[in-house]
Structures are given as structure tokens and as C-alpha cells.
Amino acid sequence: MHNFFVESDALDGVFRITGADHNHIKNVLRMREGNTFLVSYDGKSHLCALAGFENDTALAEIVEEDYQDTELPVQLYLFQGLPKGDKLELIIQKAVELGASGIIPVEMSRSVVKIEDKKRKQKQERWQAIAESAAKQSKRNVIPTVSEAVSYKKAMELASEMDVFLVPYENERGMAATADALEKLKNAKKVGVLIGPEGGFDDKEIALAKDAGGEIVSLGKRILRAETAAITALSMCMLYIEMNV
Ligand code: SAH
């Protein structure tokens, strides 16, 4: 989010932004009324919305005082092979707490569950509601989106748009690839993590993930359940990002 520093306090809940920042807001960013950004004054940052322009001044109305940005500076997307029962609900809740920007449920060859077409939208709405309540509880600034369940092919198309695409694979050995992949998070804007369902990946899926730019990594010598693997991989990325980016 853009952040502008001002030297005088708000008057009636409105900060006045002048000079180069005014020009930047108006002519470079071409912001419209209602667009939000941060304004910092006297060591505190406030969430503001553009209320309009007046002469050479941008008027920034305070929406939330002393706003704490809780978002990760890197967007993390969890691609989760559809697990059994309501396990995905737990995974969505934890992914949101850990800072994920989005969750993409994926129908994989070893997913036992198949979603009927007529239930797709209804399922997605339930998952989205879980994300929303987890976002509120964990004080996220944005509500992550959960998509409808997608095919593996579609998931690979989305994954190839990521700057880094991590594929924790139960048959991978050694932590060198994991360490290398984490280092790449420093320069990434969008990071995908693909976790298999209970039955894991088949060989063809691993080959397709590699074609989509996937980095095959291990999460240690033990076999983790799908939900543990998702939480572990996201925690690992979250901590690395919080410490290094
Ligand atoms: N049925 C498989 C395990 C699947 S675990 C078996 O017994 O071999 C579900 C998913 O969690 C895996 O597809 C993988 O994405 C992830 N996972 C579990 N343990 C892992 C590990 N040690 N390293 C990397 N990924 C792991």
C-alpha cells in the first residue's frame, strides 16, 4: 500500500497532502476518490481514503487511525489437493492465519473426494466464509479469496504465473532444495505452494508441476498428513518472509 508522510496533523479528520506527493497521487498513480493509502504523521500511520483534490492539495480522509498493516509483503497462494471430509476447512482457516493471500483447491488424481458440479458454488461460498472469519480473527487487513475447486491443468496454468512455485513432495530427500527455494522468496511478489491430497502426487502430476516451474522440495524426513504439510510449508514461508523481506 502507498504511504505518504506529512508534516502537519489532520484537520477535522482530513490530512492535506501537497507538493510532490500531491502530484504523485494525482498524475502518476491517478487515484480516484475512495482509493485508499496510508498517511504517516508523528510516527503513526493512518489508513486514509482520497476525498478529492483542492488547488494543489490531495485531501485524505482518515478511515482508520493508527492502522497496523498485518499483510505479508509477498503474496502466498496455497494450491491444495482436495483432501477428504472437511479437512480443507481446517486448512483454509490455518492458511489465512498464516498470511496466505489465496487458496486454490485442486482436484488431483488421488483426491478421493469429487465435488458434484451443482455443489461447486455452494462449497466455494462455505470455504470463503471460513476464510472471512479467520481473516477477522487474525486481524488481517484483507480477506483472502478461496476459489472454486479447479482441475490440475488449470492449477498448473495459475501456478506458472507465480514467481516461485514450491512443490513439497513426500518422495524428495534432503533439505538443500528447500533452503534454495526459500532464498528465492526474497525477490518474489507471488509465491505458490502445492500440497498433495492424502494419497500424495502421482508421477505425472510431479512432471507437470516441474513443467510449470515447480521446485520440488522436502519438508523433512517424516511423512506429514496433508493438513500438517500445508501448515508447515506456509509457516516456513511466512517466517522466512517476516524475517527477511
Ligand atoms: N500418501 C503419501 C503421503 C501424502 S502426504 C505417502 O504415504 O507417501 C500429503 C502431501 O503432503 C504430499 O503430497 C506432500 O505435498 C506433502 N508432504 C507430506 N510429507 C512431506 C514431506 N516429508 N516432504 C514434503 N512434502 C510432504
Side-chain angles (χ1 to χ4, degrees), residues 86-158:
D86 49 17
K87 252 186 203 172
L88 187 61
E89 301 189 358
L90 173 90
I91 295 174
I92 290 167
Q93 185 191 65
K94 300 307 165 207
V96 170
E97 288 172 36
L98 293 167
S101 288
I103 296 115
I104 301 116
V106 189
E107 292 176 300
M108 291 182 49
S109 81
R110 296 189 185 153
S111 289
V112 184
V113 178
K114 297 274 176 278
I115 303 179
E116 289 172 54
D117 278 345
K118 60 177 190 215
K119 293 229 170 115
R120 268 168 198 277
K121 187 76 200 123
Q122 192 188 326
K123 282 258 180 210
Q124 186 275 334
E125 283 167 4
R126 169 148 181 80
W127 295 333
Q128 187 61 49
I130 290 166
E132 191 167 335
S133 76
K136 288 197 178 130
Q137 180 274 326
S138 58
K139 300 210 183 330
R140 296 281 305 264
N141 300 136
V142 296
I143 298 169
T145 46
V146 188
S147 71
E148 281 189 22
V150 299
S151 66
Y152 196 75
K153 183 166 174 273
K154 176 74 186 166
M156 292 306 105
E157 282 169 29
L158 296 169

Side-chain angles (χ1 to χ4, degrees), residues 80 108 110 167-173 194-201 217-227 229-230:
Q80 176 63 57
M108 291 182 49
R110 296 189 185 153
V167 184
Y169 180 35
E170 58 274 20
N171 293 346
E172 177 70 9
R173 291 288 164 268
L194 172 63
I195 301 290
E198 291 88 349
F201 292 96
V217 299
S218 169
L219 298 176
K221 292 176 187 150
R222 293 144 300 275
I223 295 287
L224 309 175
R225 285 179 182 258
E227 63 274 33

